[in-house]
Amino acid sequence: MLTVALIAPALKTGQMMKIPSLQARLREYLPHGQLSRQRLPLAPELELWLLDEAYPQHLLDGEQIQRIMNYPAYWCFCWASGQVMARYIIDHPELVRGKRVLDFGCGSAVAAIAAAKAGASSVVACDLDSDALAISKLNAEANAVNLAYSADFFADSESYDVILVADVLYDRANLPLLGEFLTRANTVLVADSRVKDFSFPGYRHLQFQRATTIPDLAESEEFSRVNVYLGER
């Protein structure tokens, strides 16, 4: 894939400089923010570089929390839907084993890493945010897996066996993407806590699970209710 070939080598250069660089980027928005490697409560098999849980969250008011939600530093959190998807993949490795997988809007790449751990033949972590791709590289190294990287899902017509979609439907304008995904993969796995009336052709409900964002942002309880859906063509 052309996009992957162009991006992956760039992330290999000066990889040890990425943590200080991402740390500086994080502190533009959270002056006391610190990245640290953390195991996930719901998927302790995995370890990610995330905003340290010791961050003084009592200093955050509603406006600041909203700023975190709006700024694309989502890469320094493991969102509830991503954690639930990782757990589902680890528990059902047959979904991805030996298959070509793409993690759309990968963020921290938690789903991509889970797929690689579960035996996928290849995994692409895809995200428009260069910071997300940088932290994904570090997280892949922390978990001793190999990923490829893409900044633009629509830059080519590559097909996959499985596409992973975690916490992407926060904007209902993204719902039509569910149809697009089924033109590029035989199977699409979706984890979402935002859409309450999920109904889309080709998709069925698999399970419900509760989870929180890591570190916990004390979001409203409804966002801890994660549903998993399977799309097949």
Side-chain angles (χ1 to χ4, degrees), residues 34-72:
Q34 179 72 36
L35 292 172
S36 67
R37 280 172 60 161
Q38 302 173 45
R39 292 205 173 270
L40 304 181
L42 199 59
E45 300 92 334
L46 307 182
E47 190 174 20
L48 301 178
W49 284 97
L50 302 171
L51 175 65
D52 192 89
E53 59 187 1
Y55 183 81
Q57 295 188 43
H58 64 280
L59 299 179
L60 295 177
D61 57 26
E63 181 179 349
Q64 290 170 315
I65 290 175
Q66 191 61 48
R67 186 178 185 187
I68 294 171
M69 298 289 286
N70 291 336
Y71 166 61

Side-chain angles (χ1 to χ4, degrees), residues 192-209:
D192 177 72
S193 63
R194 310 287 171 155
V195 181
K196 306 309 176 189
D197 56 346
F198 188 101
S199 177
F200 201 90
Y203 289 80
R204 60 185 173 88
H205 186 263
L206 290 180
Q207 74 170 41
F208 161 80
Q209 188 162 3

Side-chain angles (χ1 to χ4, degrees), residues 135-213:
I135 202 73
S136 292
K137 174 65 175 177
L138 294 174
N139 287 336
E141 291 174 352
N143 289 276
V145 299
N146 293 317
L147 304 178
Y149 303 89
S150 171
D152 190 351
F153 175 73
F154 304 100
D156 56 67
S157 57
E158 189 77 14
S159 294
Y160 300 90
D161 297 310
V162 182
I163 293 178
L164 308 175
V165 185
D167 202 33
V168 169
L169 304 180
Y170 54 86
D171 185 345
R172 293 185 69 91
N174 289 337
L175 281 170
L177 290 174
L178 295 175
E180 175 73 17
F181 295 144
L182 285 176
T183 70
R184 302 275 296 274
N186 292 324
T187 301
V188 180
L189 188 67
V190 178
D192 177 72
S193 63
R194 310 287 171 155
V195 181
K196 306 309 176 189
D197 56 346
F198 188 101
S199 177
F200 201 90
Y203 289 80
R204 60 185 173 88
H205 186 263
L206 290 180
Q207 74 170 41
F208 161 80
Q209 188 162 3
R210 289 185 180 275
T212 60
T213 298

